[in-house]
Amino acid sequence: MKRLWAVACAVIGLLLVTGCGTPQRPTDSPSGTSSRQAGPQVESQTQVDPKLYAVCSAIYRGVEQALAENRNESFDTELQSVQAIGSSAPPNSPNGELFADAQQVVALCDAYTGEGAPAKVYNELQDSLRTLKQALDRYHAMVPRS
């Protein structure tokens, strides 16, 4: 059963690495939006959900530490705890971007720790960690203070 799970994770990771099933971030392009549509969009671009940010930050630190200590650890539960927040956010919003980046890191971490993972997955995981760290740094100031 463990071997089947590892193979399934490796396949999912490879699909994500090759671009299949990877959430694509649309580019911000000027369009004829009415003022009614612009209000919520502006708000979603200036607010970061504190729980989502905290979980993404914990995933970043946890994966980085697991790699440094060569531990096999799963972060699926943490990601699932913010699934509703992240999946309902527009892809080009800070919440959507953070969730997509964390989702990519978790999938690649699962693929990397799975049995028979190709060596290039490690480099792709490092790149994804860098991308998540950049997003965390970029949106830190947008997290509401309690």
Side-chain angles (χ1 to χ4, degrees):
M1 182 68 182
K2 229 178 189 180
R3 184 178 182 98
L4 179 62
W5 175 250
V7 170
C9 287
V11 168
I12 290 169
L14 288 174
L15 287 174
L16 287 171
V17 168
T18 60
C20 300
T22 303
Q24 299 297 316
R25 290 189 204 130
T27 58
D28 291 334
S29 62
S31 62
T33 59
S34 70
S35 61
R36 209 173 85 176
Q37 293 172 332
Q41 183 179 9
V42 169
E43 183 180 323
S44 72
Q45 291 180 352
T46 59
Q47 290 283 319
V48 174
D49 186 279
K51 180 179 179 182
L52 176 72
Y53 185 89
V55 168
C56 290
S57 183
I59 288 171
Y60 170 79
R61 286 188 316 273
V63 170
E64 194 174 52
Q65 185 174 8
L67 287 174
E69 296 173 1
N70 200 22
R71 283 182 304 151
N72 184 357
E73 194 170 332
S74 176
F75 298 91
D76 295 325
T77 305
E78 289 88 346
L79 189 64
Q80 288 173 355
S81 73
V82 292
Q83 178 81 31
I85 299 167
S87 62
S88 66
N92 60 339
S93 69
N95 288 332
E97 184 179 336
L98 283 167
F99 182 73
D101 290 345
Q103 197 173 28
Q104 181 78 6
V105 165
V106 170
L108 286 169
C109 183
D110 288 346
Y112 175 70
T113 58
E115 202 170 306
K120 72 177 189 171
V121 174
Y122 178 79
N123 292 333
E124 291 164 353
L125 177 55
Q126 290 295 333
D127 291 343
S128 288
L129 276 170
R130 241 185 322 278
T131 301
L132 178 56
K133 176 66 171 144
Q134 290 168 351
L136 288 166
D137 290 345
R138 185 170 49 251
Y139 298 128
H140 180 73
M142 294 180 184
V143 178
R145 303 292 174 228
S146 50

